[in-house]
Amino acid sequence: MAPQTSTPSPSSAPPAPRAQLIHIEVDRRLGHEWDEWNGQPLPRGGDFSAAPGLFFRFAAVTLAVATAAVALLLYLIGPRLGTLWPLLPRILWTVLALFAVVQWLYLGVVAAAFYSGRNLLPERLLERGPYLQLMNYTSLVARVFGKRDWVEHAAIDVYNTLAGRRGRKVGKGELLVLIPRCLSKQALDGVLEIAGRYEVPVFVATRGQLARRVIRERRPRAVVAVACERDMMTGLRDVAGRLPVLGLTMQLPNGPCRDATIDLGQMERWVQGLVAAAPARGRTKQ
Ligand code: SF4
């Protein structure tokens, strides 16, 4: 006779193991620009102020690196291209040389415009034109040297100086103030006070995508944006070509994405300068 086995009834089974729910308390939500932050305090209390000359030095290195990279490529593939058409390598070398001359001339004009106090070129050829690309490529090179935030700060300062000199005026309802979610309470109160005084709308843009949406929907004629250097570079690259922007960078005394402070005096000067004595809509300078 086969042995009888008894299966335990469900009621007598030991309870199934339950997953433990672990709560992780986060005291900040990092913007993706800061993904690689190691949690250590930022240098100089998160103040990345740097002299504009730093940007010009790194921009010169960027042009040299870019020219050298293309020259190396041409040197390597030139003989092969010569088998297709013997004149081709010579033409490409000439184009590269001309391009390099134009790039260096452009950098010289930007530096002359900045230091001479006269913009020398229309905005489409200066701060709202190729300068935005130059800023971004320079930032890439600065990262290699661990100088990203300082070089970006200097680049944004140069941009603001050139843009501010245009003396643009807009109506109160035509200016938009965009702030990030990471401002300290004191900074936020200060921004709201300034915005209230000059009757300009303020939007908290939690992500660049949202900032672009607000701009699309509100259709401002100028923007004063607040962000850290990293976020500001992306914002300027995406928006400044289409819309006049002044970009106020922040200090990050408690690390990225929390309790940021700003120069409220600078913000007020910009807002006041943009909306003061603004002519009626339709007669404003764009
Ligand atoms: S602007 Fe503020 S929230 Fe956005 S990435 Fe910079 S530090 Fe973080």
Side-chain angles (χ1 to χ4, degrees):
M1 196 174 155
Q4 296 272 319
T5 56
S6 70
T7 44
S9 68
S11 57
S12 63
R18 275 170 62 91
Q20 205 185 346
L21 193 59
I22 301 170
H23 289 276
I24 300 174
E25 297 294 337
V26 288
D27 63 350
R28 75 179 79 217
R29 191 155 45 89
L30 283 180
H32 78 275
E33 298 286 357
W34 289 96
D35 277 349
E36 85 283 10
W37 181 53
N38 59 7
Q40 296 299 309
L42 296 175
R44 284 201 344 223
D47 180 353
F48 296 105
S49 301
L54 183 70
F55 165 72
F56 287 111
R57 285 198 294 280
F58 269 88
V61 172
T62 303
L63 295 190
V65 167
T67 309
V70 179
L72 179 65
L73 184 70
L74 259 184
Y75 174 75
L76 293 174
I77 64 170
R80 180 157 297 213
L81 293 176
T83 61
L84 300 175
W85 184 31
L87 271 184
L88 190 54
R90 180 172 296 192
I91 291 172
L92 290 175
W93 279 110
T94 309
V95 169
L96 175 64
L98 286 175
F99 197 60
V101 168
V102 169
Q103 282 182 325
W104 284 99
L105 274 179
Y106 184 75
L107 181 61
V109 171
V110 173
F114 177 78
Y115 288 110
S116 70
R118 300 184 58 211
N119 275 10
L120 299 178
L121 288 175
E123 57 188 350
R124 287 280 167 204
L125 293 177
L126 203 59
E127 76 274 11
R128 294 178 64 199
Y131 179 76
L132 297 170
Q133 272 76 49
L134 181 61
M135 267 189 7
N136 277 287
Y137 289 124
T138 303
S139 161
L140 293 178
V141 171
R143 290 174 208 196
V144 178
F145 293 87
K147 286 281 181 195
R148 174 183 182 178
D149 300 289
W150 291 271
V151 171
E152 289 181 347
H153 185 104
I156 293 164
D157 271 359
V158 172
Y159 165 86
N160 283 329
T161 303
L162 298 172
R165 272 193 212 137
R166 302 287 176 188
R168 184 178 306 280
K169 303 286 179 204
V170 296
K172 286 177 177 170
E174 297 170 333
L175 177 64
L176 194 66
V177 173
L178 279 177
I179 56 173
R181 59 184 160 79
C182 59
L183 287 186
S184 68
K185 173 153 180 3
Q186 194 192 7
L188 182 60
D189 288 348
V191 169
L192 294 178
E193 203 183 308
I194 293 168
R197 206 175 304 142
Y198 295 91
E199 300 169 43
V200 296
V202 182
F203 281 85
V204 180
T206 48
R207 296 190 313 273
Q209 212 182 8
L210 202 60
R212 283 189 288 280
R213 207 178 92 195
V214 169
I215 289 171
R216 228 180 14 252
E217 288 171 3
R218 299 281 308 195
R219 304 169 74 82
R221 301 189 81 184
V223 171
V224 171
V226 179
C228 63
E229 283 80 1
R230 299 183 182 200
D231 224 23
M232 186 66 75
M233 290 292 284
T234 319
L236 290 178
R237 187 193 61 209
D238 293 350
V239 176
R242 289 181 281 122
L243 189 67
V245 181
L246 289 173
L248 186 61
T249 50
M250 319 185 295
Q251 294 79 50
L252 304 168
N254 290 323
C257 309
R258 198 180 71 173
D259 300 335
T261 61
I262 56 170
D263 180 348
L264 289 167
Q266 178 65 76
M267 162 159 272
E268 178 150 16
R269 282 191 292 281
W270 281 349
V271 171
Q272 188 182 37
L274 282 161
V275 301
R281 188 173 190 124
R283 288 188 288 125
T284 50
K285 183 177 160 194
Q286 177 74 32

